[in-house]
Amino acid sequence: MEKVPAAPMPSFPEDLDGLERFVLACQACSLSETRNQVVFGEGRGTSGLMFVGEGPGADEDRTGRPFVGRAGELLTKMIQAMGLSREEVYIANTVKCRPPGNRVPSPEERKACFPFLEAQIRLLKPKYMILLGQTAAQVVLRQSAGITRIRGTCCELPEYPGIKIMPTYHPAYLLRNPSAKRDVWSDLQTVMGWMGLSRSGEKEGK
Ligand code: SF4
């Protein structure tokens, strides 16, 4: 895999609420000119699981919440199939403002917004991360491989010590390619195994 070097980490507020207030006023890239709302992220993350998607779509831009459109409904079902609720996980995106027409965020936009995602990860301290789709996998893993090649491949990175990371397909891709749901369910089951979860959400062995 071709590694992309990490940018130096700027300093931000050292709590999630402060970081959110900071990001809500961000104008660091041109997406600030066309957004209606910044979509920072949501959830309590008490399960230790964090999802990272690509960026807000029209519904998210309208509501200010991540994954609330059709792809969001599917993500909610995926979370519930793992025996969890949306409140128990944390959901964020690689960019916090909607790219016009739902295009893929440009390298400049990804680079401008990445420090916020890194700060979210640092403050939340998740134990597990599921990367939804190619953009999230490329941004978080700092590599350029296609999602088809790396999905289902667990990794841990020195940049994120102690976090098990699983790249898989984005729910929007599953809406277009339902046959890929089997692969995603396999990836989710792997993560459930890490978390000691049965399908009912109970910790196994109880
Ligand atoms: Fe700032 Fe990120 Fe929005 Fe760009 S996408 S304006 S970097 S919050």
Side-chain angles (χ1 to χ4, degrees), residues 11 57 68 70 90 110 135-137 140 147 155 174 179 185 197:
S11 62
V68 291
R70 283 183 65 225
Y90 191 84
R110 299 181 199 195
T135 302
V140 173
I147 188 66
C155 55
L174 298 182
S179 62
W185 180 232
L197 286 173

Side-chain angles (χ1 to χ4, degrees), residues 4-116:
V4 180
M9 171 70 76
S11 62
F12 295 126
E14 283 302 317
D15 66 281
L16 213 51
D17 289 342
L19 179 67
E20 179 168 5
R21 285 193 295 275
F22 185 90
V23 176
L24 290 182
C26 177
Q27 297 186 328
C29 83
S30 59
L31 295 183
S32 64
E33 296 163 15
T34 49
R35 74 183 178 217
N36 286 304
Q37 297 205 53
V38 174
V39 182
F40 178 71
E42 70 177 23
R44 296 199 315 273
T46 48
S47 64
L49 176 59
M50 176 174 183
F51 287 87
V52 181
E54 179 176 288
D59 293 314
E60 291 76 15
D61 181 60
R62 181 173 48 79
T63 59
R65 297 182 55 212
F67 280 92
V68 291
R70 283 183 65 225
E73 285 173 19
L74 183 51
L75 177 63
T76 302
K77 286 182 185 162
M78 288 162 55
I79 293 167
Q80 290 168 344
M82 297 178 76
L84 298 167
S85 67
R86 278 182 69 118
E87 291 70 32
E88 291 175 291
V89 304
Y90 191 84
I91 306 172
N93 282 305
T94 61
V95 293
K96 314 305 186 198
C97 304
R98 183 192 183 203
N102 292 350
R103 63 165 170 74
V104 175
S106 71
E108 293 75 23
E109 292 156 358
R110 299 181 199 195
K111 188 175 173 191
C113 215
F114 184 55
F116 298 142

